[in-house]
């Protein structure tokens, strides 16, 4: 593996959309007791279900710590590769590499952004985060992919979505937050994204899902179904703080055009009713200085938008809510050529997120 000193745009590489063909998928096993209740045991069962569901469509690699290797290997089906690797927590979409592709040669490379746990010492969610910041390099090493490393630019994979044809969607709440790249202007941030993802147009939404502790990652509120078409987290309840946020995003998207000049079709993907942390769930998480507590009654950032687009499949979160069926129905309609699989995801949500994976794009 080489660390390259150029950038993907100069070298003719682009970031594909998640809906394009993958070589495989990477996930990190949950365990830290100050984030996952009961030492991650309930979440581990759900992560195993997610991995099994995705493995129906493409190869899956599960990153586990040394102490969890035997346990994970026992819980996971044989077809899932288990890789021992030091890590701080289980959000590989955010700390792992962004894969870029050269369409002429089929070569795949990784972009290794700086990771600082969603805000570093300003408003990050845990400390230290150095093991997570090494994940991207290690994944590139194992996959024999050369990488581009940015030592002075913080970005998480969940903070961006692309259509593979020159358009990127993100949120100002996240990318312009003080704990990331506060020394850079909005234009300078745009220039880095254009160079390292080879995109032409950036659509800036204002905010992400209500109370999203990642400072409003776009992956929980808006996702590309295909070029020119997105799903947007939505509620009709005007008394819910989410309504104002979603309506603001909707208005922006309906008045934008993508890099190819196309208007954007927006499909409303209704959120579940507010999901609150129970006393039992709160008491199951260790209280540790430097990490975000899980308090009884706190509202979780629940959304169906944070699904995973696999080869021939969609793996989506379910919450035991009446809108589960509504979400399943819409995704089946939007992806007629893919099998939609739901996994009950409350335990993942309690850890601060939804289904979190990274994709390796497939060469031509």
């Amino acid at each position: 593996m080489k660390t390259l000193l150029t950038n993907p745009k100069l070298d003719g590489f682009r970031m594909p959309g998640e809906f394009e063909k993958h070589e495989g998928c990477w996930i990190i096993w949950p365990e830290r007791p100050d984030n996952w209740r009961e030492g991650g045991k309930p979440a581990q069962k759900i992560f195993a279900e997610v991995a099994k569901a995705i493995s129906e469509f493409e190869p899956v690699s599960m990153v586990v710590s040394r102490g969890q290797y035997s346990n994970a290997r026992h819980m996971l089906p044989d077809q899932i590769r288990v890789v021992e690797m030091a890590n701080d927590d289980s959000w590989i979409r955010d700390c792992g590499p962004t894969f870029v592709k050269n369409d002429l040669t089929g070569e795949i490379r990784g972009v290794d952004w700086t990771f600082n746990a969603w805000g570093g010492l300003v408003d990050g969610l845990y400390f230290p985060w150095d093991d997570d910041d090494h994940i991207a390099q290690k994944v590139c090493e194992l996959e024999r992919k050369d990488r581009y490393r940015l030592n002075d630019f913080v970005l998480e994979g969940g903070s961006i979505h692309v259509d593979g044809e020159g358009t990127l969607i993100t949120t100002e709440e996240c990318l312009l937050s003080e704990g990331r790249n506060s020394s850079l202007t909005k234009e300078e941030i745009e220039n880095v994204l254009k160079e390292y993802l080879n995109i032409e147009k950036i659509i800036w939404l204002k905010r992400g899902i209500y109370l999203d502790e990642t400072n409003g990652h776009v992956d929980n509120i808006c996702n590309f179904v295909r070029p020119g078409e997105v799903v947007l987290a939505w509620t009709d309840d005007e008394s819910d703080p989410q309504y104002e946020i979603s309506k603001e995003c909707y208005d922006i998207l309906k008045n934008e055009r993508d890099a190819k000049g196309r208007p954007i079709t927006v499909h409303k993907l209704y959120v579940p009713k507010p999901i609150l942390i129970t006393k039992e769930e709160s008491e199951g998480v260790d209280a540790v200085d430097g990490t975000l507590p899980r308090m009884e009654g706190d509202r979780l950032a629940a959304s169906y938008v944070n699904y995973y687009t696999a080869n021939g499949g969609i793996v989506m979160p379910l919450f035991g809510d009446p809108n589960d069926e509504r979400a399943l129905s819409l995704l089946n309609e939007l992806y007629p050529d893919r099998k939609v699989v739901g996994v009950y995801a409350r335990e993942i949500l309690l850890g601060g997120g939804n289904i979190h994976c990274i994709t390796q794009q497939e060469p031509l």
Side-chain angles (χ1 to χ4, degrees):
M1 181 201 74
K2 294 185 293 186
T3 298
L4 303 161
L5 300 179
T6 53
N7 68 59
K9 184 175 182 178
L10 282 174
D11 297 340
F13 286 74
R14 67 174 177 96
M15 181 182 177
E18 188 177 290
F19 44 80
E20 298 185 50
K21 192 76 170 177
H22 307 161
E23 288 183 5
C25 166
W26 284 77
I27 310 175
I28 301 180
W29 191 249
E31 65 171 290
R32 61 181 297 156
D34 56 348
N35 191 44
W36 301 98
R37 72 187 186 102
E38 299 175 23
K41 293 304 179 186
Q44 288 168 7
K45 294 178 182 178
I46 305 306
F47 269 62
E49 288 186 28
V50 170
K52 182 179 179 181
I54 295 173
S55 72
E56 178 183 343
F57 307 106
E58 62 193 40
V60 175
S61 299
M62 182 70 74
V63 169
V64 303
S65 69
R66 178 181 179 184
Q68 281 291 314
Y69 180 85
S70 295
N71 177 47
R73 181 66 281 171
H74 172 73
M75 292 180 66
L76 293 164
D78 292 344
Q79 71 267 25
I80 294 171
R81 178 173 65 167
V82 179
V83 180
E84 183 182 316
M85 191 182 297
N87 63 85
D88 295 302
D89 205 359
S90 54
W91 307 119
I92 196 164
R93 176 180 284 181
D94 290 345
C95 66
T98 298
F99 287 105
V100 291
K101 176 181 179 180
N102 185 304
D103 291 316
L104 295 177
T105 66
E107 183 183 354
I108 306 296
R109 295 175 179 174
V111 179
D112 181 359
W113 317 95
T114 294
F115 177 78
N116 71 353
W118 308 277
L121 298 180
V122 175
D123 58 355
L125 301 183
Y126 53 73
F127 178 85
W129 53 76
D130 52 309
D131 283 338
D132 277 352
D133 193 34
H134 284 104
I135 291 286
Q137 180 178 4
K138 293 177 180 179
V139 169
C140 289
E141 190 81 55
L142 287 170
E143 295 295 343
R144 301 183 185 277
K145 312 293 187 189
D146 293 337
R147 68 161 186 156
Y148 304 91
R149 168 63 180 179
L150 291 86
N151 289 313
D152 55 356
F153 191 84
V154 176
L155 189 84
E156 305 95 38
S159 69
I160 56 172
H161 267 312
V162 301
D163 69 351
E165 295 186 359
T167 308
L168 179 145
I169 296 180
T170 189
T171 70
E172 293 182 358
E173 179 185 2
C174 182
L175 262 61
L176 303 185
S177 66
E178 184 182 351
R180 288 173 173 82
N181 302 296
S182 58
S183 64
L184 301 179
T185 66
K186 185 176 182 179
E187 182 180 6
E188 288 170 333
I189 290 171
E190 284 194 343
N191 288 338
V192 173
L193 297 175
K194 288 176 179 178
E195 289 179 350
Y196 282 85
L197 302 175
N198 201 353
I199 49 100
E200 302 165 27
K201 174 71 177 285
I202 298 174
I203 297 174
W204 290 90
L205 305 180
K206 298 295 184 183
R207 295 171 286 175
I209 284 289
Y210 179 60
L211 297 180
D212 186 343
E213 61 193 33
T214 64
N215 303 108
H217 269 190
V218 77
D219 69 355
N220 214 19
I221 195 165
C222 187
N223 188 15
F224 279 107
V225 176
R226 57 187 61 86
E229 195 168 348
V230 302
V231 289
L232 176 69
W234 187 264
T235 178
D236 289 329
D237 183 359
E238 295 186 18
S239 68
D240 188 330
Q242 184 57 50
Y243 177 83
E244 179 187 347
I245 297 170
S246 293
K247 178 65 165 57
E248 182 179 62
C249 291
Y250 182 84
D251 291 342
I252 291 170
L253 290 164
K254 292 301 288 184
N255 286 285
E256 279 281 9
R257 290 184 177 268
D258 65 16
K260 302 294 186 184
R262 293 171 295 216
I264 297 169
T265 300
V266 181
H267 301 280
K268 296 175 179 178
L269 187 52
Y270 283 76
V271 298
K273 66 179 182 295
I275 297 176
L276 309 181
I277 298 176
T278 67
K279 181 180 180 183
E280 178 186 6
E281 290 165 343
S282 172
E283 291 177 346
V285 178
D286 292 355
V288 175
D289 288 342
T291 60
L292 190 73
R294 301 279 183 254
M295 305 301 294
E296 178 184 2
D298 283 354
R299 177 170 169 172
L300 298 167
S303 166
Y304 300 103
V305 171
N306 210 339
Y307 56 85
Y308 180 72
T309 310
N311 294 338
I314 299 292
V315 180
M316 63 168 291
L318 301 176
F319 304 107
D321 184 90
N323 275 340
D324 285 1
E325 288 301 320
R326 193 174 188 176
L328 280 165
S329 177
L330 178 60
L331 292 180
N332 271 298
E333 177 185 333
L334 295 178
Y335 295 95
D337 56 343
R338 299 179 195 257
K339 178 182 177 181
V340 180
V341 179
V343 177
Y344 185 67
R346 184 182 179 98
E347 291 295 339
I348 304 178
L349 189 61
L350 286 166
N354 270 320
I355 294 172
H356 241 249
C357 318
I358 56 168
T359 59
Q360 301 159 243
Q361 299 304 141
E362 186 170 273
L364 295 171

